[in-house]
Amino acid sequence: QVQLVESGGGSVQAGGSLRLSCTASTWVYCMGWLRQAPGKEREGVAGICGSGLLNHADAVKGRFTISRDNTKNTLYLQMNSLKPEDTAMYYCAASHSYGGALLAPGGYRFWGQGIQVTVSS
């Protein structure tokens, strides 16, 4: 079992920045960020694997950057130029293998509790 603990969420005005962090209890091959807004399905934001494979959703390309520090078992999501539509609960997820799609919720086995990000206009 892998425990994931997210931090760094909060409220910000449109155009602002936030950095999310997720610390895992052990090293895992693939990690990702997914989000769920009220009334909407959970969607992938960005994912990265130990091979260097990574992907960002079209909605966040150019604004969000995923990265990881393997020495700290920590995943990051730098979020710039935030928009009100980025408001959601953000979840850190992980898997010991590549599930075929870094942005698909079904590709991850372990999940964090989630952290709220609110962007006001």
Side-chain angles (χ1 to χ4, degrees):
Q1 194 73 7
V2 178
Q3 281 75 48
L4 303 170
V5 179
E6 301 107 333
S7 62
S11 297
V12 66
Q13 289 190 326
S17 298
L18 284 173
R19 187 195 196 200
L20 303 183
S21 299
C22 170
T23 299
S25 57
T26 188
W27 188 86
V28 280
Y29 185 61
C30 290
M31 299 183 76
W33 291 101
L34 299 95
R35 67 187 182 186
Q36 188 165 19
K40 294 187 177 181
E41 293 187 353
R42 192 168 297 188
E43 63 177 3
V45 176
I48 185 170
C49 293
S51 63
L53 176 69
L54 62 81
N55 194 16
H56 295 79
D58 288 343
V60 306
K61 280 181 180 176
R63 300 187 298 122
F64 293 10
T65 303
I66 191 170
S67 63
R68 63 188 295 174
D69 184 337
N70 293 321
T71 65
K72 298 180 180 179
N73 294 335
T74 300
L75 179 73
Y76 303 100
L77 185 68
Q78 179 65 44
M79 305 186 293
N80 299 327
S81 301
L82 282 159
K83 303 176 181 180
E85 51 263 44
D86 294 318
T87 295
M89 185 71 78
Y90 283 70
Y91 295 90
C92 175
S95 178
H96 288 304
S97 61
Y98 174 52
L102 287 173
L103 302 182
Y108 296 98
R109 179 179 177 185
F110 307 106
W111 291 82
Q113 297 276 47
I115 192 163
Q116 180 67 37
V117 171
T118 302
V119 184
S120 58
S121 57

